[in-house]
Amino acid sequence: MSSHFHIRKVAVLGAGVMGAQIAAHMVNACVETLLFELPAKEGDPDGNVNKALDGLKKLDPAPVASPAKITFIQAANYEQHLEKLRECDLVIEAIAERMDYKSDLYRRVAPYISEHAIFASNTSGLSINQLAQAFPEHLRHRFCGVHFFNPPRYMHLVELVACTDTAPLLLDQLETFLVSTLGKGVVRAQDTPNFIANRIGVFSMLATKHHAQVFNLGFDTVDALTGRYLGRPKSATFRTLDIVGLDVFAHVVNTMRENLTDDPWHKHFELPSWFGYLVDQGSLGQKTRRGIYQKIGREIHVLDLHTREYRLSDARVDDGVKDILRERDWAKKLAGLRGHPHSQAQFLWAVFRDVFHYCALNLEEIADNARDFDFAVRWGFGWDNGPFEIWQAAGWQQVAGWINADITAGRAMAAIPLPAWVTEADRTGVHTPQGSFAPFTLTPLPHEGEGGAQRKERVSQYQPRSTLPVYRRQLFPDALIGETRRYGETVFETDEVRMWHMNDGVAILSFKSKMHTVSNEVLDGILRAVDEAEAHFTALILWQTEPPFSVGANLLQLMQGVQEPDAGLFGKLKQAASRVKYTVAGGGGLNEVLNAATGNVPKVEAVVAKFQQVSQRLKYALVPTIAAVDGLALGGGCEFSIHCTRIVATLESYIGLVEVGVGVLPAGGGCKEMAQRASLEAQRFANDNRIDVFPYLRRYFQNIALGEVSKSAELAREMGYLRASDRIVLNRFELLHVAKQEAMTLAATAYRPPLHQRQIAVAGRTGIATLTAAMINMKEGGFISEHDYVIGCRIAETMCGGDVDAGSLVDEQWLLDLERKNFMELLATDKTQARIEHMLKHGKPLRN
């Protein structure tokens, strides 16, 4: 078996909810994929698979990065196409969670599985060793468990589970593929019921349910307490159950009840009567439009336990408890909850206590070390921190003492004491810079050598991270509380930005502002960074230590720039605007009148001009500039990206020029850049030297006028924000590595910036007229508001190059001046100011 193992083609067996979405994520990663299902009883034998593929198009959030990807999944059925399995390097079984069904399928397909292929089950909790028994003995070393989480495109976790015969090299090869090609976080789990994440996540839900009953708290109150306040998803506990499906949850709990009979908490692996009542009624959650919650019109209703009727959800968190929950320091937060008499606080402490207790007792049995344990819960359930991390951050010994006191007093769900390792005198936690705690070490059995059978020896130790070569691509892997993190050597640092490097000639600029918004100080920081990079480095990368990339301009600073110190400014601004006839290229007359009205507005126009200067500086720098985008890149964040030499974006990058939402237009070079791209495309496809820009401009105009945001980097490419040369990365922790490789490649070509384009063909007044007519129709049809129309006309004027003939040639500065003029005029309107204030107050756009 060569160490260069390539997965060229994958087969997924089973086109149910998980199988179809796993196939979808394979094609997201450009992996050739077959999707198998039982043949249809009538009509096209592939009817069942095709129905599943149609279903993928309706799912939200979308399982594919672009709808076009679905056509790359090849439909197959077990009657006609088993021979095709011989070409597959990886076969993933994802049929119903029944041992008998799975075993029958394995016997049926085994003769067609190639010698070198990996065969893996996506079971969420059945025994991998038991499943392996149905697989032929000579292939058993090629068998393992690979458990994806729903939805597979978005959930980072994959649990990798070996059976006793699995070849260690095979696991390494599969882990490499999962991490780099599919972008996943891989955790190796022991072959125990429900593995790690479901075992702990489900126990946490059962403990929450138990204590909610003890403290008589409604479902909506519990969700108000156990969501973002605890660093968990907004769907919290019971809303998550509705999303997962009550029937699916019941199945997972049953697996625990049937297979964990010796578990000290076994009596709690029961579902309450109300749960059975809902399932019997067919109220299974989101998929049946009713579960614990029900949406009636715009209102959310929740099941009342006492009456078994739905009532309006109106959960209130006690003010005192809310103050404790807002505390960022876990030590103060847990101490506050434990010491507060209110039932909501006591409920939360009880859940933490019992989850910590359960984790401590099960670490040794279900995971290799505490790091795998915490990552499984974080990546599989969307928690910001794993249970051991929270315990460590809150003060290890202090919390252990509280747990022991509650066990002694009979308050805990189980009477079993904490394991001895927890209370070792010098223990301050389980995560250290050297590694994470493992209650035992694995050693090869005598005569077995490396890769053979292993035994557990009780030698407590700290296990460093995996040394698999694929992890060298993660310069800064996901960090745990207790590990130290140092981002290179500082070049310069201000309150808003930091420029640094890792001794490889590539400079990195990271923003420090909240949501990485762009203030005047950030603009100064970027200008300084480009100067530094040109003087001392081979390239400059814009990269943030965590998403988002940037949500755009700092609106608060912009508003203050407009409003201070004269509250009557907007009135004067409007009078001034009405008295001035702009000259497109300069807007010079405006400045004088505004200066007369107030000393302040030019400050805003100066900031807008600086925004444009930054974009142009990134585009024409003497060293390559790379935007390493992850998460949101909106407004100014998008404008910086499209001006860089290259964008390297994670698949989950959501990119767009959204300025219309706050009543303005992109004026950091966004309109100019997209008009320029339209011109280049038109020139490439021009007939008889006649350049017609309009057909190419139209889609860019639509993106900007409607404030469209791409739902993936792949869609951003289709929208024209990413070019053919820009790169997409599936694992966000590999983003900086790939950006650096890209930077070094560009630098190696004796990089020169593009030449200034002085002949940009524009659509002119004909283009403006066509776009205006389309918008009048949209306004009359009620699709856009009056003010949307006003903004749209400004965008049309800017992108079409103003009042000139179609096909006229202009330069970049002409378009930049138009951007600035129209931005300032929109800023002077009441409706734009109302939009900006609404966004600042409510965080969502106002459509006035």
Side-chain angles (χ1 to χ4, degrees), residues 5 31 99 204 271 407 532:
F5 176 76
V31 178
M99 193 67 78
S204 171
L271 291 168
I407 295 170
E532 287 279 354

Side-chain angles (χ1 to χ4, degrees), residues 100-115:
D100 52 346
Y101 289 179
K102 290 184 191 285
S103 301
D104 288 347
L105 181 66
Y106 295 2
R107 290 187 197 97
R108 185 171 182 185
V109 301
Y112 302 94
I113 304 294
S114 117
E115 297 276 285

Side-chain angles (χ1 to χ4, degrees), residues 38 59 74 130 145 171 215 223 250 261 279 316 454 475 597 622 639-640 656 667 675 779 791 809 822 844:
L38 294 165
L59 285 180
Q74 301 165 53
Q130 232 178 308
L171 291 172
F215 290 99
D223 280 354
T261 46
V279 173
R316 274 201 65 253
Q454 297 181 313
L475 304 179
L622 293 171
E639 287 176 301
F640 292 160
K779 186 179 69 169
I791 303 161
L809 300 175
N822 281 304
K844 45 178 180 261

Side-chain angles (χ1 to χ4, degrees), residues 557-614:
Q557 194 185 46
L558 188 77
M559 282 301 271
Q560 286 165 344
V562 174
Q563 285 179 318
E564 287 170 2
D566 182 354
L569 165 65
F570 285 148
K572 292 176 187 172
L573 215 155
K574 273 177 294 197
Q575 289 164 8
S578 65
R579 290 205 301 273
V580 179
K581 183 85 181 87
Y582 283 99
T583 56
V584 168
L590 166 77
N591 284 346
E592 289 150 41
V593 181
L594 287 180
N595 279 331
T598 163
N600 234 14
V601 171
K603 196 169 91 179
V604 175
E605 192 168 4
V607 173
V608 177
K610 195 187 289 182
F611 233 112
Q612 296 181 335
Q613 183 196 350
V614 167

Side-chain angles (χ1 to χ4, degrees), residues 103-233:
S103 301
D104 288 347
L105 181 66
Y106 295 2
R107 290 187 197 97
R108 185 171 182 185
V109 301
Y112 302 94
I113 304 294
S114 117
E115 297 276 285
H116 71 269
I118 298 173
F119 190 94
S121 173
N122 177 56
T123 177
S124 60
L126 298 178
S127 164
I128 297 299
N129 279 300
Q130 232 178 308
L131 286 169
Q133 296 309 305
F135 213 60
E137 208 165 329
H138 72 284
L139 285 176
R140 233 168 258 171
H141 65 292
R142 316 288 305 152
F143 179 73
C144 65
V146 57
H147 179 214
F148 287 84
F149 278 67
N150 192 14
R153 169 182 158 187
Y154 302 94
M155 296 309 286
H156 193 56
L157 179 64
V158 172
E159 290 173 317
L160 201 51
V161 193
C163 69
T164 42
D165 299 318
T166 310
L169 181 59
L170 170 135
L171 291 172
D172 290 350
Q173 291 167 337
L174 186 52
E175 181 164 349
T176 299
F177 170 77
L178 291 166
V179 168
S180 219
T181 307
L182 296 188
K184 294 300 164 200
V186 172
V187 163
R188 297 203 183 184
Q190 304 289 340
D191 185 23
T192 58
N194 291 345
F195 312 131
I196 303 173
N198 276 342
R199 176 86 173 263
I200 300 308
V202 169
F203 177 80
S204 171
M205 287 179 157
L206 291 171
T208 305
K209 168 199 70 87
H210 169 78
H211 291 300
Q213 207 168 340
V214 172
F215 290 99
N216 194 23
L217 300 177
F219 297 124
D220 49 345
T221 304
V222 170
D223 280 354
L225 291 164
T226 58
R228 290 309 299 151
Y229 280 133
L230 304 185
R232 297 182 193 171

Side-chain angles (χ1 to χ4, degrees), residues 264-523:
W265 284 265
H266 185 264
K267 70 167 191 246
H268 295 288
F269 302 161
E270 293 288 344
L271 291 168
S273 58
W274 60 261
F275 202 97
Y277 165 76
L278 286 175
V279 173
D280 293 345
Q281 278 200 327
S283 301
L284 306 179
Q286 201 167 288
K287 56 190 167 192
T288 60
R289 294 171 184 259
R290 188 170 71 187
I292 294 165
Y293 290 92
Q294 181 179 17
K295 199 169 177 184
I296 302 175
R298 293 222 154 162
E299 295 176 337
I300 305 288
H301 291 240
V302 64
L303 184 72
D304 187 302
L305 264 186
H306 304 293
T307 63
R308 295 207 171 171
E309 302 287 331
Y310 288 88
R311 60 167 172 80
L312 192 63
S313 169
D314 59 350
R316 274 201 65 253
V317 175
D318 173 75
D319 289 340
V321 176
K322 200 181 281 181
D323 289 341
I324 299 168
L325 289 173
R326 287 196 173 122
E327 173 59 61
R328 297 246 157 158
D329 178 343
W330 276 109
K332 291 181 185 161
K333 192 183 261 191
L334 284 191
L337 292 172
R338 185 171 180 272
H340 196 288
H342 196 283
S343 59
Q344 292 179 357
Q346 288 303 304
F347 153 76
L348 285 169
W349 161 248
V351 174
F352 275 115
R353 173 198 65 219
D354 288 318
V355 169
F356 292 158
H357 188 190
Y358 193 77
C359 292
L361 271 148
N362 284 291
L363 171 60
E364 180 174 344
E365 185 202 347
I366 70 178
D368 290 345
N369 57 61
R371 176 179 50 251
D372 289 350
F373 196 102
D374 272 349
F375 277 147
V377 179
R378 267 168 61 165
W379 296 340
F381 278 79
W383 293 17
D384 292 352
N385 296 108
F388 286 128
E389 279 186 287
I390 295 170
W391 184 346
Q392 180 166 335
W396 187 270
Q397 292 295 351
Q398 172 74 79
V399 174
W402 290 340
I403 297 170
N404 269 330
D406 280 7
I407 295 170
T408 309
R411 284 192 286 270
M413 284 166 72
I416 188 166
L418 285 169
W421 64 264
V422 170
T423 48
E424 287 164 1
D426 56 348
R427 179 166 306 290
T428 56
V430 289
H431 303 302
T432 69
Q434 289 71 47
S436 291
F437 177 70
F440 54 81
T441 179
L442 292 170
T443 53
L445 292 171
H447 323 301
E448 288 283 351
E450 204 169 326
Q454 297 181 313
R455 70 166 165 224
K456 287 183 184 181
E457 287 196 55
R458 188 171 294 285
V459 181
S460 295
Q461 54 153 2
Y462 284 83
Q463 228 176 62
R465 285 179 178 254
S466 167
T467 53
L468 265 188
V470 70
Y471 291 110
R472 286 180 213 146
R473 297 167 58 86
Q474 299 189 13
L475 304 179
F476 299 99
D478 209 350
L480 289 159
I481 288 173
E483 293 181 323
T484 43
R485 166 95 1 141
R486 188 164 162 269
Y487 294 102
E489 306 293 328
T490 302
V491 180
F492 75 84
E493 185 164 10
T494 69
D495 289 343
E496 300 275 317
V497 301
R498 175 173 178 255
M499 185 181 186
W500 53 286
H501 67 92
M502 295 173 76
N503 295 312
D504 53 8
V506 177
I508 299 161
L509 186 73
S510 303
F511 301 176
K512 292 160 65 181
S513 49
K514 190 178 176 187
M515 301 288 281
H516 305 132
T517 53
V518 181
S519 61
N520 193 31
E521 293 72 22
V522 169
L523 295 174

Side-chain angles (χ1 to χ4, degrees), residues 569-775:
L569 165 65
F570 285 148
K572 292 176 187 172
L573 215 155
K574 273 177 294 197
Q575 289 164 8
S578 65
R579 290 205 301 273
V580 179
K581 183 85 181 87
Y582 283 99
T583 56
V584 168
L590 166 77
N591 284 346
E592 289 150 41
V593 181
L594 287 180
N595 279 331
T598 163
N600 234 14
V601 171
K603 196 169 91 179
V604 175
E605 192 168 4
V607 173
V608 177
K610 195 187 289 182
F611 233 112
Q612 296 181 335
Q613 183 196 350
V614 167
S615 291
Q616 294 297 85
R617 196 78 181 84
L618 287 168
K619 184 172 182 176
Y620 294 109
L622 293 171
V623 293
T625 55
I626 314 278
V629 176
D630 180 26
L632 297 168
L634 305 178
C638 173
E639 287 176 301
F640 292 160
S641 307
I642 61 180
H643 282 86
C644 285
T645 317
R646 284 278 186 284
I647 296 174
V648 179
T650 60
L651 186 70
E652 300 313 326
S653 293
Y654 312 114
I655 303 173
L657 295 169
V658 296
E659 283 83 351
V660 57
V662 288
V664 289
L665 71 146
C671 292
K672 178 270 308 176
E673 189 63 18
M674 300 325 281
Q676 199 172 350
R677 288 187 189 186
S679 169
L680 286 169
E681 287 164 29
Q683 282 163 329
R684 206 175 310 142
F685 301 112
N687 309 328
D688 324 326
N689 293 334
R690 261 204 5 248
I691 297 174
D692 182 9
V693 186
F694 190 76
Y696 303 95
L697 183 75
R698 187 165 48 204
R699 71 167 177 150
Y700 296 139
F701 167 79
Q702 195 173 329
N703 289 344
I704 294 175
L706 296 176
E708 297 277 4
V709 177
S710 73
K711 290 199 164 82
S712 71
E714 204 69 65
L715 285 169
R717 177 140 37 219
E718 290 175 23
M719 290 166 73
Y721 290 131
L722 265 65
R723 295 149 296 193
S725 55
D726 293 327
R727 312 268 173 236
I728 297 176
V729 178
L730 269 88
N731 194 318
R732 54 176 281 240
F733 298 105
E734 293 186 0
L735 178 65
L736 185 57
H737 165 81
V738 178
K740 283 192 173 207
Q741 297 298 314
E742 198 67 29
M744 289 169 184
T745 305
L746 286 162
T749 60
Y751 176 78
R752 294 292 305 172
L755 293 166
H756 284 270
Q757 201 186 349
R758 305 199 192 285
Q759 298 201 318
I760 301 165
V762 292
R765 61 181 83 84
T766 333
I768 296 174
T770 312
L771 293 174
T772 306
M775 285 189 296

